[in-house]
Each structure stands twice: as C-alpha cells, then as structure tokens.
Amino acid sequence: MSRLRPAHVHVGFTVVTAVLCVYHVLATHLAADRTPAIAAVVLSSALPGLLLLVMLLRRRIVAPMPWWFVLGAMVALTVHNAEALRQVGLEGRPVAGGALFLLTLPLGYVGLLVAALLVSYRYARADVGGIVDGVLIGIGAASLLWAVALTPALTEQGAPAGTWLYTFVVVLLVSGIAGAVVRAVTTSHAARAPLAYLLVAVGTTLAGNVLDVLTTDPETGAGAWWVSLLWIAGYVALAAAAAHPSHVHLSRPETQVSGRLSPLRLAFLGGILLLDPLIVAIQTLADQPGSPLLVISSLLVVPLVMLRVGQLARLHAAAETRLERLATHDVLTDLPNRRAIDEHLEAALGRVARGVSPGVVVLFLDLDDFKAVNDDHGHHLGDRLLVTVGRRLRAAVRAQDLVGRFGGDEFVVVIEGDPDVVRQEAEARIASALQAPVRLGEVVASARASVGAAEVRPGDDVSAEQVLSAADARMYERKRPVRGPVQGFEVQTRVQSSDRQGSDRQSTDRQGTDRQGTDRG
C-alpha cells in the first residue's frame, strides 16, 4: 500500500501539472522552435509512467492488473510523443508521421481503455444498471457531438475516410468509458478520489481528441498548441490515481442498488434507441456525410438497451418475489406464516378428499416457558428462543413437511401421509428436538411445548380452520406446568365431518382470544 497521504497526492498533481503546463506555454511562446514545448509533453507521459513502474515493481498497488495496462499505454504514448519531438522539434517537419508515430497513439488509447474497462467492470458487477446507464449516456453524448461538431469540422477539412473512422471510434469508445467512470464516481465514496483522477484522464483524452479535430488547420494538418495542455493534465492524473491511497478500494467497490423498472427509465431507454436514427435522418435531409458511421453506435446501443431492460425486468421480478415471501413468511423465523399454513393445509386436505393422499397430521405447539423468558430477560432473548425452536422443528421433520409460526409462541407442523405411519416418527423427532434447553448467552431457556394433535383420513370432509381449531383445543386441554421432558404427544384427535359443529364453536371461541402468545406461560 502506498505511504503517500491524500493531501500529498493532490498537491503533487497540482504542482506537477502546473509546472509542466507553464513550461509548455513559455516554451511555445518564447522558444525559437517547438522542441522545448514538445519536450514538456514527453516529460508529462514519461515521468508518470516511471512513477507507476516503480510503484508496480515495489508492489505498492493493490489489484495491479489495470495499472499494468496503464503503464503499457504510458510507454506507447511516450514513444508517440518522443517521435513527435524527433520529427517536428529536431528535424523541423511541419507535422509528425510514419508507422511508429501513427501506431503508438491508438495503441496507447487501447491500453487506457482496457484499464478503464477493467476498473469499470468491477463496478458493473455490483451496479450493472447504473454502469449500463452511464455508458448509454456517454454513447448518446458522443452521437450528438459527432453530428453537431465533428462532422462539419471533418467535412471542412476534407479528411480522408480513415480519419473519419478513427475519430468516430475513439470518441465513441472514450465517451462510453467516461459515462461508466462518471457513474462510478457518483456512487462510490471510498474510491471517489482515484476514480475522479481517472475521470480527469478519460475526460482530457476525449476533449483532446475532439478539440484536436476542431482546431486542425486544413492546410498544415496541425492542431492548436494549447490542446497539448489537456494531454499533460491527463497523463499526470493517471499517476495520481495510482498513487492515491484509496486506490485499494477500486478492487472492492461498494454494492450499489440499481434502479427499478419505471416509466421514466423506459422513456430514457427508448430515447437512446431513437437518438441515432433521428440524427441519421437529420443528416440525410441536410445532405451531410458521416451518418453511416452511426450504425456502429447503434450496434452498441441496441444490445446495451436490451441488457438494461432485461436487468430491470429481473429486478422487478425479484422485488415481486420478495414481496410474496414477506406476505407468506414470518419475518423473525423465516418460517411460513398463518396465511401460508392455511393455504398449505387446504391443499393437503383437498388431496386427502380426492383420495390421492392417505391422510394429514397437524401438530399445534405452544411453548411452555416463553412468557417467563420474555418477562425476565426481555423480548430480544424471547425472539432468539423462537428462532431456535423454529430451526429445531424444521430440522426434525421431513423436507416435504411444513413447519410454520402461527403467531406469538405458537407453531404448527403439517405432516402429509398415513397417520398410523408418519405420526409416531414425527412426534418422536420433535420431542427429541425440543427436549434439550436453549442457551441464549448467559441464559438457559426451556424449549418444551404443549402439543395438540389432529388427524384427517380419507373420507373426512373438513376445512383447514376446523383442523387447526381442533388441534389448538387439544393443546389447551393438555397445557399444564411442565414437570419433565416434552409432554402432550399422546393426544390424538381425529377430525371428522360430524365434528364440524363443535369445531366451529371452538373456532369462534378461539378467534375471540388473544393469539399473540406472549401472554402464555
């Protein structure tokens, strides 16, 4: 990790950038030739590259992969600037050229773009929607910039087809990366400083390319001298991003919450899709060249919009799933709640009535000492006791059996199968699971419960409410001060259609009783 403090990095960036820029300005206006001015640009790429190399070799950079690409880009750009120094400054040519000069510039841009993509990718995994939105905004801005500023300038200069394609691709890609980095800057707190420096580097790269086109002399092919100031600031910013101590957080971006599917977002995505066709139509009507290149932009925009819509749809579906689970599960224990118990039991009774299931056993449990735990030690320990009991019950029965929290300290177990076969084993497992006390920090609490049971066999025409009421009533009959291991499993009630009237009365009485369970002992 770097020993530099944030203040050191900020001061260093400001001072080095200011010194190089002032030197470049003075050399441009006072020197007899362009050699000193171009030398300032060479230094602005060579010195940060050397600093970055030292930090990488001394392992001062966490997650160094993107920074190796930055170093490669700095080497390529330094070679490019050195070739300009040799040809223009030393040899006196009006503009630099040659294969080495022409290839090193795009090679340097590729390295910077790969590094930016590697950094943005980490944020994309945590914030897919936000990063995609940022890229789409960047591409949309690039399309507008191309139509409004660059197309007229390139037309006036009579630029060859290669220049058109190169300029469009660079502006498009750099704009997309800039949008992604802007999103990362606005949503990240821990890594905001190095991301801001990366944004400066990407932004100056974009501005430098655009202004270089807009200020190019059609006769000499040379751009304005002051555009080089942007390159100087961008090169130094890359070194500052690596040197800033919080660069370690670039490898651990905070998880962000992507937006929800809304009419405004759909309108935004639709507008992005329509932007390029609208620009092409306007350029065609105005008889302007350059519109065919917007096909490249469309080829990027369409899949990104589809990705974003799909991601928003998945978020919407996940939100619905969470809401459905909240409606059917107890928040504390994550067990099915009373609504889910009723639905599950009604479905099981329907299968028994149709003859496709051999029967159902319902166990209604009420903790014996829950009120004492709440009163003596507080509700937080009572909640922990409920969670522990719920886990024990879930582990004691089969995967296809239902264990739910009915309310308060009451639990319901629904077991489908022949009562003569499944009931005895389930009772034994539950008795064993609840026999051991529960240790809640320094408090040892009992998990014992009073239990009422109800059976339903083929031919019994009953409702879920009747079965639950019968099991609840038997549990009340058996509830008493606990004197040993879990009691009450010997109670057996078969609910038949002839019991409906009594069960309905029990249900009415039960509905008038406080069912929260915290008052039971």
Side-chain angles (χ1 to χ4, degrees):
M1 184 181 296
S2 175
R3 296 189 180 93
L4 293 175
R5 295 181 179 179
H8 297 159
V9 176
H10 300 323
V11 172
F13 168 76
T14 303
V15 171
V16 172
T17 302
V19 169
L20 289 174
C21 288
V22 170
Y23 173 75
H24 183 274
V25 171
L26 294 177
T28 300
H29 291 86
L30 300 180
D33 56 29
R34 298 173 60 188
T35 302
I38 301 177
V41 180
V42 176
L43 286 174
S44 69
S45 60
L47 292 179
L50 181 61
L51 173 63
L52 187 57
L53 177 61
V54 171
M55 295 181 66
L56 286 169
L57 292 179
R58 298 182 66 179
R59 298 183 180 180
R60 295 289 183 85
I61 297 180
V62 178
M65 179 60 71
W67 301 104
W68 282 110
F69 282 97
V70 173
L71 177 61
M74 300 297 286
V75 171
L77 293 171
T78 300
V79 172
H80 175 82
N81 296 331
E83 274 295 289
L85 175 63
R86 181 182 67 84
Q87 297 181 33
V88 178
L90 301 179
E91 298 179 0
R93 299 182 187 181
V95 292
L100 185 61
F101 177 81
L102 295 176
L103 290 177
T104 49
L105 183 62
L107 188 61
Y109 285 162
V110 168
L112 293 178
L113 291 174
V114 171
L117 284 172
L118 289 174
V119 172
S120 299
Y121 171 72
R122 295 190 177 109
Y123 285 83
R125 289 184 299 175
D127 184 21
V128 176
I131 295 297
V132 171
D133 284 347
V135 172
L136 286 172
I137 292 173
I139 292 177
S143 297
L144 290 173
L145 186 62
W146 176 257
V148 174
L150 295 176
T151 295
L154 291 170
T155 302
E156 182 180 354
Q157 296 165 15
T163 302
W164 281 79
L165 180 61
Y166 171 81
T167 303
F168 180 80
V169 171
V170 168
V171 171
L172 186 68
L173 293 180
V174 176
S175 297
I177 295 299
V181 177
V182 167
R183 170 65 182 185
V185 169
T186 57
T187 57
S188 175
H189 298 284
R192 179 163 293 173
L195 284 170
Y197 280 120
L198 286 177
L199 182 59
V200 170
V202 175
T204 52
T205 299
L206 176 61
N209 278 278
V210 172
L211 293 173
D212 191 48
V213 171
L214 297 180
T215 62
T216 295
D217 188 331
E219 296 182 1
T220 64
W225 65 269
W226 48 266
V227 175
S228 298
L229 300 178
L230 295 171
W231 309 129
I232 293 174
Y235 296 149
V236 181
L238 287 173
H244 198 281
S246 61
H247 81 270
V248 298
H249 299 290
L250 292 175
S251 61
R252 302 187 298 269
E254 307 100 315
T255 300
Q256 306 295 336
V257 179
S258 298
R260 59 185 180 85
L261 186 62
S262 65
L264 181 60
R265 287 187 180 273
L266 290 176
F268 161 73
L269 295 174
I272 291 293
L273 281 175
L274 291 174
L275 181 61
D276 284 340
L278 182 61
I279 293 175
V280 170
I282 295 174
Q283 286 187 328
T284 301
L285 291 175
D287 196 22
Q288 290 183 349
S291 58
L293 290 176
L294 290 173
V295 174
I296 300 175
S297 177
S298 298
L299 291 177
L300 292 174
V301 167
V302 171
L304 285 174
V305 169
M306 294 177 63
L307 172 66
R308 184 63 168 125
V309 171
Q311 190 258 350
L312 288 171
R314 288 192 297 272
L315 286 176
H316 185 71
E320 287 186 337
T321 301
R322 287 193 297 270
L323 289 175
E324 182 179 354
R325 186 168 185 83
L326 287 174
T328 59
H329 282 70
D330 174 55
V331 175
L332 177 63
T333 62
D334 199 36
L335 293 174
N337 58 16
R338 178 172 180 173
R339 171 185 172 184
I341 294 171
D342 289 339
E343 293 177 353
H344 180 87
L345 184 54
E346 285 288 0
L349 294 176
R351 289 189 289 272
V352 174
R354 295 192 303 271
V356 297
S357 177
V360 171
V361 175
V362 174
L363 302 178
F364 202 106
L365 295 84
D366 183 278
L367 300 185
D368 292 321
D369 299 321
F370 181 71
K371 186 177 185 300
V373 173
N374 262 355
D375 292 345
D376 296 341
H377 305 289
H379 290 279
H380 65 288
L381 285 185
D383 289 345
R384 290 174 59 186
L385 176 60
L386 292 174
V387 171
T388 302
V389 170
R391 290 174 180 170
R392 289 188 181 184
L393 290 175
R394 180 63 269 174
V397 298
R398 303 170 304 177
Q400 64 266 34
D401 298 330
L402 178 135
V403 176
R405 183 186 177 196
F406 199 74
D409 61 342
E410 298 172 335
F411 296 86
V412 169
V413 181
V414 179
I415 307 165
E416 190 169 354
D418 185 349
D420 295 332
V421 176
V422 300
R423 181 168 178 257
Q424 183 176 2
E425 180 181 0
E427 290 175 349
R429 286 180 176 274
I430 291 175
S432 176
L434 299 183
Q435 186 170 5
V438 178
R439 182 172 295 278
L440 306 171
E442 298 180 355
V443 177
V444 177
S446 169
R448 294 178 299 185
S450 298
V451 182
E455 295 180 357
V456 179
R457 301 176 184 270
D460 294 341
D461 183 15
V462 292
S463 66
E465 181 65 25
Q466 290 174 310
V467 178
L468 291 170
S469 295
D472 189 17
R474 300 308 180 268
M475 181 275 296
Y476 265 113
E477 293 175 0
R478 302 296 301 178
K479 190 171 182 63
R480 63 185 181 278
V482 180
R483 300 189 181 95
V486 178
Q487 304 293 326
F489 286 101
E490 72 278 7
V491 178
Q492 178 176 351
T493 302
R494 180 178 177 189
V495 183
Q496 301 176 349
S497 56
S498 59
D499 296 333
R500 275 188 175 180
Q501 185 175 0
S503 297
D504 289 339
R505 286 196 300 269
Q506 293 164 358
S507 174
T508 302
D509 295 338
R510 181 166 156 267
Q511 292 172 359
T513 305
D514 180 8
R515 309 286 298 130
Q516 297 306 311
T518 55
D519 294 333
R520 292 185 178 176

